[in-house]
Amino acid sequence: WSTIDEYVAALTQLGELRGQLMATRDLRYVDQSAIDAMVTATTEAQADVSQRTAGFVATDAALQPYTDQLQSLDQAAQAASTVVQLAEPLAQMAQMAVALDMLSELMGSLKIDDATQRTQVVDRISAIYARLNQVRARAEQRKSGLGSNENVAQFAAQLALFSQSIVSALNLAQTPEKCDEQLARLLVQLEEIESQFGEHEQFLGDIMAKREEVLETFEARKQSLQDERQRRAQGVLDAALRIVQGLPK
């Protein structure tokens, strides 16, 4: 075997086989002496593979694939230009963390007689863990920076589109009642923008300013339409009064 995964797979299979044998041992009419012999052979094989695994992990070549993969993942993460491109390296880092967790648990359960060898193995795994944490932290920092730039651009586009919506809504608001309808629709849109970007403090000021602008604009528009309606009503009333007053003549 040339990779740590092959050693881990062998130990896993031996563990499963031993479990099957122990379950079979409880069946009626089974040849328990034969099962005991198989369990003994499996236990000896586990001990042998455990020692071989410990010896392999203690070598420089055992964990080198993890080191090489971390280097390539670090380069890919730093070369990413969008958050989407960072998703795959981060997912692979998460998978590597799971694999290292399993390897750590495995090393804790292995029966390694040489204390020095066990210490070397633990130190090597710890070093890979430390490197993984560094690479992941750099990737998360990169993601935060890219996400911030993308959020700024996306927020600016959303706000520009919302400004166009205000102009369109003003054209549609030809009565005080229509003003209320269009204002409610715009406030819902603004709430959606706030729910999307509200967690970023740098956007809150712009959102609040835009809300005040919308409220003031439509309040002024509504007041203007009400005044115009009152003037038209007053004009109709004045004309009606003049007609009534002219009837006797």
Side-chain angles (χ1 to χ4, degrees):
W1 297 330
S2 58
T3 65
I4 189 63
D5 293 335
E6 293 172 313
Y7 286 90
V8 173
L11 287 170
T12 302
Q13 291 174 3
L14 287 170
E16 293 175 352
L17 176 58
R18 190 173 188 277
Q20 292 174 0
L21 290 171
M22 297 303 294
T24 305
R25 191 177 185 276
D26 296 331
L27 297 178
R28 295 181 63 183
Y29 309 118
V30 75
D31 189 346
Q32 294 189 358
S33 60
I35 296 296
D36 291 340
M38 294 179 190
V39 171
T40 301
T42 304
T43 303
E44 292 175 354
Q46 283 182 308
D48 179 62
V49 175
S50 296
Q51 293 297 326
R52 292 176 182 270
T53 303
F56 179 75
V57 176
T59 63
D60 294 332
L63 298 178
Q64 187 62 38
Y66 289 112
T67 303
D68 296 339
Q69 185 182 7
L70 277 175
Q71 184 176 359
S72 63
L73 289 176
D74 190 22
Q75 293 174 353
Q78 297 307 313
S81 57
T82 63
V83 174
V84 175
Q85 294 177 355
L86 266 174
E88 181 61 25
L90 285 172
Q92 294 185 23
M93 291 177 196
Q95 293 176 358
M96 184 181 294
V98 173
L100 288 174
D101 288 338
M102 293 178 59
L103 185 58
S104 297
E105 294 177 2
L106 175 63
M107 296 313 299
S109 62
L110 289 181
K111 297 179 181 179
I112 303 177
D113 298 331
D114 190 349
T116 302
Q117 188 180 51
R118 178 184 290 275
T119 301
Q120 290 177 350
V121 170
V122 173
D123 288 342
R124 288 178 182 276
I125 297 175
S126 297
I128 296 295
Y129 254 125
R131 176 62 178 160
L132 173 61
N133 290 333
Q134 291 176 357
V135 172
R136 183 186 291 179
R138 281 166 50 84
E140 291 291 347
Q141 186 176 7
R142 176 73 174 169
K143 179 181 179 181
S144 178
L146 291 175
S148 178
N149 294 335
E150 291 179 4
N151 285 332
V152 169
Q154 187 177 4
F155 178 74
Q158 290 276 16
L159 212 59
L161 180 61
F162 183 74
S163 298
Q164 296 300 321
S165 298
I166 295 176
V167 176
S168 177
L170 283 173
N171 292 330
L172 295 175
Q174 298 299 325
T175 65
E177 293 77 16
K178 290 292 185 182
C179 277
D180 292 337
E181 294 179 5
Q182 295 300 321
L183 176 61
R185 183 177 63 84
L186 289 175
L187 290 178
V188 170
Q189 292 183 10
L190 195 60
E191 288 178 359
E192 292 177 354
I193 296 176
E194 185 176 5
S195 65
Q196 185 176 358
F197 299 98
E199 61 183 8
H200 305 284
E201 296 181 358
Q202 67 268 30
F203 300 143
L204 289 179
D206 294 335
I207 294 174
M208 295 297 295
K210 186 62 67 175
R211 179 179 284 108
E212 293 177 0
E213 176 188 347
V214 169
L215 291 173
E216 292 176 357
T217 300
F218 276 84
E219 183 64 29
R221 175 70 170 169
K222 182 178 180 180
Q223 186 63 45
S224 175
L225 290 171
Q226 288 176 339
D227 293 343
E228 183 180 355
R229 175 181 288 179
Q230 289 177 357
R231 286 194 299 270
R232 288 200 304 268
Q234 187 64 43
V236 172
L237 177 62
D238 293 342
L241 289 176
R242 285 196 296 271
I243 291 173
V244 172
Q245 291 173 357
L247 284 178
K249 300 179 181 180

